[in-house]
Amino acid sequence: AQKVTQAQTEISVVEKEDVTLDCVYETRDTTYYLFWYKQPPSGELVFLIRRNSFDEQNEISGRYSWNFQKSTSSFNFTITASQVVDSAVYFCALSDEVPYQGGSEKLVFGKGTKLTVNP
Amino acid sequence: DVKVTQSSRYLVKRTGEKVFLECVQDMDHENMFWYRQDPGLGLRLIYFSYDVKMKEKGDIPEGYSVSREKKERFSLILESASTNQTSMYLCASRTGGPFYEQYFGPGTRLTVT
């Protein structure tokens, strides 16, 4: 069965600090997809990044970077020089390949990490 | 830009009422989803639909039903609302295939009294 664990329930940092949000996943499939979403206080989830299981290249987008390691089943998210606007709940999610392999097309979410960036 | 809209941001209903939550997307997406979000539990899938009139149960379908008569609209129905259905309800849509990201609506905060 698929599972996503975000062990950090809440993190609080001071502006300009770097912060890493952890995500550990479980799946029996060899082909799967990992996602990060941001949920600001307004409530609407915003897609940040997608990674497929065959692409272990790390990704950097501005102050955001993602580290995907299949060996440890982790897909961690780092915010460099955090800002108050980064305050949100961040979700990691997993989707496997196709229904006939026993999975489904649904997205399995972790429980989220609430990040608070204080000025 | 993809837009997913939900009929209400806040809703207050009484126990036993039949409740309809509506979701509309404007990008011709095949797949649509209903989640509920509760503190400490994250997002849990209630139902999803992969085509018009097609639906599949998610993790917590009990007490809910859905309707998808048109591709752009996916309705969540609480047949007889109960207080334990007080929650934030999120609708999402996606083009076909698990590779693609889901686009979410702003959510409906439902309170059942």
Side-chain angles (χ1 to χ4, degrees):
Chain A
Q2 298 169 302
K3 186 178 179 183
V4 176
T5 302
Q6 294 180 256
Q8 304 148 309
T9 306
E10 292 193 40
I11 300 175
S12 183
V13 300
V14 177
E15 213 170 12
K16 297 184 184 176
E17 279 188 49
D18 298 347
V19 58
T20 296
L21 310 182
D22 297 332
C23 173
V24 174
Y25 62 91
E26 295 175 29
T27 179
R28 290 177 294 182
D29 295 302
T30 54
T31 302
Y32 51 89
Y33 308 96
L34 295 161
F35 302 81
W36 275 96
Y37 285 84
K38 174 183 180 180
Q39 186 179 39
S42 60
E44 190 166 330
L45 270 83
V46 177
F47 165 74
L48 294 177
I49 192 172
R50 166 186 57 239
R51 178 65 72 226
N52 73 55
S53 54
F54 296 110
D55 181 4
E56 286 195 74
Q57 234 177 351
N58 291 333
E59 177 99 5
I60 298 175
S61 176
R63 297 183 296 106
Y64 294 174
S65 62
W66 290 268
N67 184 302
F68 175 33
Q69 292 196 340
K70 285 179 76 171
S71 60
T72 56
S73 297
S74 65
F75 186 41
N76 296 337
F77 173 30
T78 297
I79 301 174
T80 303
S82 60
Q83 299 177 1
V84 173
V85 293
D86 296 326
S87 296
V89 180
Y90 291 87
F91 291 95
C92 180
L94 166 70
S95 177
D96 62 17
E97 174 66 351
V98 286
Y100 70 80
Q101 290 182 352
S104 73
E105 293 207 29
K106 67 180 186 181
L107 206 52
V108 175
F109 283 87
K111 293 184 179 179
T113 297
K114 182 178 181 181
L115 173 65
T116 301
V117 182
N118 298 298
Chain B
D1 279 352
V2 175
K3 196 164 179 64
V4 179
T5 56
Q6 295 183 229
S7 49
S8 307
R9 287 300 303 267
Y10 300 93
L11 208 53
V12 180
K13 295 291 182 181
R14 293 189 181 277
T15 302
E17 278 192 79
K18 190 168 185 176
V19 181
F20 293 86
L21 302 182
E22 305 286 341
C23 175
V24 177
Q25 51 95 1
D26 66 358
M27 283 302 292
D28 204 34
H29 284 169
E30 293 86 356
N31 301 159
M32 296 187 75
F33 306 80
W34 274 108
Y35 297 88
R36 65 177 282 177
Q37 182 178 12
D38 300 288
L41 297 178
L43 277 74
R44 293 178 293 166
L45 182 66
I46 305 171
Y47 267 98
F48 70 96
S49 169
Y50 46 93
D51 203 348
V52 175
K53 298 190 186 293
M54 307 301 282
K55 61 186 179 185
E56 194 165 321
K57 292 180 180 179
D59 299 314
I60 50 165
E62 297 78 19
Y64 303 94
S65 61
V66 290
S67 171
R68 192 163 180 207
E69 297 296 320
K70 293 185 177 181
K71 194 174 185 180
E72 67 271 19
R73 186 179 298 270
F74 191 34
S75 303
L76 180 68
I77 303 157
L78 287 67
E79 296 289 343
S80 178
S82 63
T83 54
N84 63 13
Q85 292 178 310
T86 291
S87 185
M88 170 70 89
Y89 290 88
L90 295 167
C91 176
S93 75
R94 182 190 71 190
T95 193
F99 174 77
Y100 297 98
E101 66 272 23
Q102 295 184 16
Y103 292 87
F104 285 81
T108 295
R109 185 166 294 283
L110 172 67
T111 303
V112 183
T113 61

